[in-house]
Amino acid sequence: MQLTGAQILLECLKTHDVNTLFGYPGGAVIPLYDALHDQMDSFTHIRAAHEQGAVHAADGYARSTGKLGVCFATSGPGATNTVTGIATAYMDSVPLLVITGQVPSMLLGKDSFQEIDITGMTLPITKHSYLVRDASELASVLDEAMSIAVSGRPGPVLVDITKDAFIAKAEFEPVELAMKNVQDKPQMEGDLDLAVKWINESERPVIYAGGGVALGDAEAGLQSFAERGDIPVVNTLMGLGSIPRSHELSYGLVGMHGFSETNTAVMDSDLVIAIGARFSDRVIGNPDKFASEAKIIHIDIDKTEFDKNMPADLSLCGDLQVWMQSLAYAIDKTQRSDWRKRINSGKQPIAFLNEKLNPQTVLESVHERVGDAIVATDVGQHQMWTAQYWPFNRTRQFLTSGGLGTMGYGLGAAIGAKVGNPETPVVLVTGDGSFRMNCNELATLSADNIPVTVVLMNNGALGMVRQWQKLFQNERYAQTCIGENIDYVRLVEAYGIKGFKVTNETELSWAMAWEGHGKAPVLIDCRIEKDEDVYPIVPPGRPISEFILG
Ligand SMILES: Cc1ncc(C[n+]2csc(CCOP(=O)(O)OP(=O)(O)O)c2C)c(N)n1
Ligand SMILES: [Mg+2]
């Protein structure tokens, strides 16, 4: 049948089970939105306040559901506004399809109004990108783009489409899904027997689990493997939840803000088994001094990660689910209680300045009220406190910008998560600096009544940077005190959103007792001490055993 390019695009999305879209209209995508107008019973479209928010929302949707996130933007500034969102998704391996409109093909290359080379600009931050000028190419390009985004190590793919390609008609037949990439799981490459031998011989093994565990649906296998070998599991920021935090083998966050016992466990181990992790500098500290007595086994679907940041003694490539099941089956059932006792004895308490209203108290109180929520964060101290203290019991529950560290990520991500998981409570833990970056998305929360509970850790500061200035710059607080005089309750009220200002535990309990949580958006402005800092902290470039406890 003959369809316009725009109609073909929507049909392709339907074939790939896409029913949720995030985006923002503009001149080059008028034909796309026009076609969508006729298809509103097949799609939910969330119009964000800014294209960056739309991409973060598609990202939050993808991270929390495991499905492809899809976002539309117009040419020129619409396209450039997506760049931070695309880079955020790229760094954390989030499957996105970003569709941008482009000027009509006859105007390409002429500095036409709102023309920008978005495929060129996003080349280093996408898995792949396309410029389509011909409606007849759209179906095959989109099919391939979606397969690439979700297969292997996932990531964002951008398809830039000229306005005339949206309008022109072409023959379209619903194609057989070319999702074969997805089904063809890569073969296992590497020496399983040697891995099993090393694991059986090890007295002090540690599993170092990253975000790849969730991407590879390998949580159950990981847990069986860890339990069979009685092996402690530490998590990177992206890996939190890959084993329930309540599990006795879970040791939580490792790295720059890892717990004392967790970092010490890695440094004292004789075998580190890294699974779906890339040895980020934020985790390993000084690479030359990382777990220097340990052999390292690195298991990942992406070969290019091997020996990139950390040389491994054994690299195992392929599908993590298959690797976990194989290891769980092949290793000896072993008790390592002496090793775990030794790790547990390294626990060191962390004190807060304000014993009553501090970040941990706030998070515990929110957790008690909302339970097993999806939690999005922004970037800074509040992010690290959430990673340390929120008990993540499954993957896809913690949405945070790990690789790029994007302030302003959280509100959009929380919106996407709530749209994708209407039955699950969604909390955003944000900071005053980060929240200001993209709080325009309050308009989206309000317009679509998206019931996110926003917990603002308001310390009047760009806290994380200020903490570095305190510790490493002699308390020279250059440009990091951002003031306490903004009335966030009135700000959200202007959007028709309920707000609470909380300065002590009693007010916190009132705010949490509000019956509207989960039914309507709400913001809780928690006033915390400027000098509450995140501890432990490992100074950059130091070995992760050299943490400061505050
Ligand atoms: C877009 C962007 N700009 C700058 C930074 C650098 N940065 C990292 S954390 C931080 C402070 C964040 O302040 P806030 O959101 O209030 O969080 P807090 O640390 O106070 O909890 C800054 C400026 C960043 N990560 N992202
Ligand atoms: Mg702050």
Side-chain angles (χ1 to χ4, degrees), residues 52 84 378-385 404-408 430-437 456-467 479-480 482 528 530 534:
Q52 185 184 350
T84 301
D378 273 293
V379 171
Q381 294 176 314
H382 62 276
Q383 175 191 32
M384 292 302 140
W385 288 317
L404 196 66
T406 307
M407 289 172 72
T430 184
D432 42 345
S434 297
F435 187 63
R436 284 181 203 183
M437 283 207 171
L456 175 63
M457 296 279 190
N458 187 351
N459 53 6
L462 302 177
M464 184 58 94
V465 180
R466 189 175 177 278
Q467 177 174 350
Q479 301 294 325
T480 50
I482 57 175
I528 59 169
K530 204 186 238 90
V534 185

Side-chain angles (χ1 to χ4, degrees), residues 357-359 361-363 365-366 385 428-432 453-460 484 488-489 500-504 507-509 511-512 523-530:
L357 191 72
N358 61 48
T361 312
V362 170
L363 292 170
S365 158
V366 177
W385 288 317
L428 164 66
V429 181
T430 184
D432 42 345
T453 296
V454 180
V455 178
L456 175 63
M457 296 279 190
N458 187 351
N459 53 6
E484 280 109 54
Y488 288 96
V489 172
F500 293 92
K501 177 176 166 184
V502 165
T503 57
N504 57 42
E507 289 170 1
L508 177 62
S509 63
M512 294 325 300
L523 176 134
I524 305 162
D525 173 7
C526 304
R527 300 292 171 124
I528 59 169
E529 295 280 340
K530 204 186 238 90

